Amino acid sequence: MTGSIVSGLDPRFERTLYAHVGKEGSWTLDYYLRHGGYETAKRVLKEKTPDEVIEEVKRSGLRGRGGAGFPTGLKWSFMPKDDGKQHYLICNADESEPGSFKDRYILEDVPHLLIEGMILAGYAIRATVGYIYVRGEYRRAADRLEQAIKEARARGYLGKNLFGTDFSFDLHVHRGAGAYICGEETALMNSLEGLRANPRLKPPFPAQAGLWGKPTTINNVETLASVVPIMERGADWFAQMGTEQSKGMKLYQISGPVKRPGVYELPMGTTFRELIYEWAGGPLEPIQALIPGGSSTPPLPFTEEVLDTPMSYEHLQAKGSMLGTGGVILIPERVSMVDAMWNLTRFYAHESCGKCTPCREGVAGFMVNLFAKIGTGQGEEKDVENLEALLPLIEGRSFCPLADAAVWPVKGSLKHFKDQYLVLAREKRPVPRPSLWR
């Protein structure tokens, strides 16, 4: 990938997760130890109880960075205490959302940061075994993770009685096979167990009956890595950055026709204008829309009002969209919004596991067929109306959020760009397909 992998050199904040990304040898244990690696885990395991760790993470305001934004400390508190059962911690490294590529560089360049974060999380939820489920295409990431785990195990940072305490914790890497559905936590657990990656019915939730029926917590790569600086510097340090409901630093990604596409570690609440113009260097051509948080989030028009919107959970919800993974995608004016949404719909149809009717028939059947009619110049105005009427029959009715992920971008495009659908239907012409890059 060309572009930038940076965190602000701005004196108002300091990078933590990406501080060593791109540095030679940053993935090795010796490098990590030279920069204070595992010191936080050593101190916390000796000085704090698991409940104190959970309370510190709660107080920090850290929310899940995988897309849903659920409060991390609260999620950990759902795990049972003193139940005598095996507890599991799973890192969801199945980064398959189009427009998202932030976790990849943590896995490749600073794997020991993730390992230390998982030690802290495992201690908090009383788990002694952890799994990192890595997207199948991330071969270098998986290779470096396995090497990092081997190094940590050989030096006593994983295994029995860590740092001379009673706490034991070990890690294993599991490579996926490229299925988007495995980003859904229960489908991921089925895959780990060697089953077909279909989502499970909830309840029971993973904290009650997860991997192999045992209490389990699943967190995203960025979420778990963030635990290290929180426990090192304290909840107040983390909570002073960001907005009222969106605390700390965030790995924002930007792709599309922009001067410096890449990953930028910035405070929560940074505006689109700051990300696009100050950090990414500005668009290379006229832009009509942006997708704010990965392909499953509703697109927004590229207006002055949207550009000045803080990229936070609450501000984007108020705009009718979502922060998601923080993966911003710019859509230029020369690209048909209908074609862009048709492309996303085909993606979600292909990735559907086919288990439930709303997704199997609604997304992979009706939505794809309606887009095919409209997009090839065979559509009518009633097809646009039927597409609009179909969406609420799918949204919120499927077994897992994959169908919702297919609906939300289309729903947003119809809200803001319905005229493009109607023009194609009225004039009976196919979508224009210019080259994506000039």
Side-chain angles (χ1 to χ4, degrees):
M1 186 191 115
T2 59
S4 303
I5 306 169
V6 306
S7 159
L9 303 176
D10 192 308
R12 294 172 298 173
F13 47 85
E14 180 183 357
R15 54 183 169 180
T16 53
L17 304 189
Y18 268 37
H20 299 281
V21 167
K23 304 287 182 65
E24 181 62 34
S26 61
W27 54 89
T28 66
L29 179 58
D30 287 341
Y31 181 100
Y32 192 62
L33 293 177
R34 287 199 303 272
H35 295 85
Y38 293 107
E39 289 299 321
T40 300
K42 184 188 299 184
R43 176 180 56 81
V44 169
L45 265 59
K46 290 181 176 180
E47 298 177 3
K48 291 185 179 291
T49 66
D51 289 343
E52 286 174 337
V53 176
I54 291 175
E55 286 306 311
E56 189 79 2
V57 173
K58 276 185 180 180
R59 205 160 58 82
S60 74
L62 176 65
R63 295 172 63 170
R65 302 302 203 230
F70 193 83
T72 304
L74 180 61
K75 188 175 190 178
W76 290 1
S77 71
F78 295 154
M79 290 288 279
K81 302 174 185 178
D82 304 319
D83 60 343
K85 295 181 180 178
Q86 173 68 58
H87 290 191
Y88 293 106
L89 173 66
I90 298 175
C91 173
N92 186 344
D94 189 64
E95 188 173 44
S96 303
E97 177 87 349
S100 301
F101 42 92
K102 61 185 175 64
D103 297 339
R104 171 183 174 183
Y105 299 105
I106 293 176
L107 300 172
E108 290 184 359
D109 282 20
V110 283
H112 285 283
L113 178 66
L114 174 61
I115 293 171
E116 186 171 7
M118 292 190 72
I119 291 171
L120 291 165
Y123 178 66
I125 66 171
R126 300 165 173 85
T128 58
V129 179
Y131 290 91
I132 305 173
Y133 190 103
V134 184
R135 175 181 174 178
E137 293 87 345
Y138 281 8
R139 294 180 182 177
R140 175 187 286 181
D143 288 344
R144 285 191 172 168
L145 274 170
E146 288 174 345
Q147 181 60 32
I149 289 171
K150 184 178 179 181
E151 285 182 315
R153 205 177 275 145
R155 301 277 281 271
Y157 296 113
L158 288 173
K160 300 287 186 182
N161 305 116
L162 300 188
F163 313 113
T165 68
D166 293 333
F167 179 65
S168 299
F169 186 77
D170 207 353
L171 275 176
H172 307 277
V173 173
H174 183 94
R175 302 183 188 224
Y180 177 85
I181 189 66
C182 289
E184 196 280 328
E185 61 182 15
T186 63
L188 183 155
M189 289 189 293
N190 271 349
S191 178
L192 263 177
E193 293 179 12
L195 305 173
R196 180 186 168 113
N198 284 350
R200 301 176 183 177
L201 182 65
K202 293 187 286 189
F205 293 94
Q208 283 72 51
L211 190 65
W212 292 297
K214 299 296 190 295
T216 305
T217 290
I218 302 100
N219 286 124
N220 167 261
V221 173
E222 183 186 353
T223 309
L224 290 165
S226 297
V227 175
V228 179
I230 289 172
M231 296 310 299
E232 177 190 358
R233 305 183 186 200
D236 293 338
W237 165 80
F238 190 83
Q240 72 181 348
M241 298 177 287
T243 67
E244 185 177 349
Q245 298 177 37
S246 307
K247 302 294 186 182
M249 299 284 279
K250 175 81 184 81
L251 297 177
Y252 293 108
Q253 307 118 96
I254 183 165
S255 58
V258 67
K259 189 174 181 180
R260 292 190 295 272
V263 186
Y264 295 85
E265 186 176 9
L266 300 167
M268 276 280 201
T270 298
T271 65
F272 287 108
R273 188 184 302 278
E274 290 174 292
L275 174 65
I276 295 167
Y277 289 93
E278 293 184 25
W279 294 102
L284 296 174
E285 59 181 289
I287 304 297
Q288 64 173 319
L290 61 82
I291 294 176
S295 64
S296 61
T297 59
L300 297 169
F302 198 77
T303 63
E304 296 296 316
E305 182 183 354
V306 168
L307 285 172
D308 289 326
T309 301
M311 292 184 289
S312 70
Y313 296 107
E314 66 270 28
H315 289 95
L316 283 169
Q317 185 178 18
K319 286 291 180 186
S321 191
M322 295 174 285
L323 178 63
T325 63
V328 178
I329 305 170
L330 300 187
I331 302 177
E333 289 182 355
R334 61 190 169 82
V335 172
S336 165
M337 283 298 292
V338 179
D339 197 23
M341 295 303 108
W342 185 11
N343 188 40
L344 287 181
T345 300
R346 289 198 301 269
F347 168 78
Y348 287 113
H350 180 268
E351 296 297 334
S352 171
C353 74
K355 179 171 183 174
C356 68
T357 302
C359 195
R360 183 183 63 248
E361 306 298 335
V363 176
F366 289 110
M367 282 183 69
V368 169
N369 291 338
L370 285 168
F371 267 108
K373 281 189 70 178
I374 298 167
T376 57
Q378 303 175 60
E380 302 174 4
E381 281 193 50
K382 70 175 182 180
D383 293 314
V384 179
E385 295 169 4
N386 286 341
L387 178 61
E388 201 165 19
L390 174 66
L391 301 183
L393 302 179
I394 300 172
E395 185 180 8
R397 299 171 187 269
S398 58
F399 205 82
C400 84
L402 191 146
D404 293 338
V407 164
W408 291 331
V410 176
K411 187 177 179 180
S413 72
L414 284 166
K415 177 181 178 181
H416 298 292
F417 304 97
K418 188 175 179 179
D419 58 314
Q420 294 192 29
Y421 289 82
L422 292 173
V423 165
L424 293 178
R426 289 167 182 162
E427 297 182 4
K428 303 285 187 185
R429 59 183 174 87
V431 292
R433 286 221 168 123
S435 170
L436 286 178
W437 301 103
R438 285 178 173 169

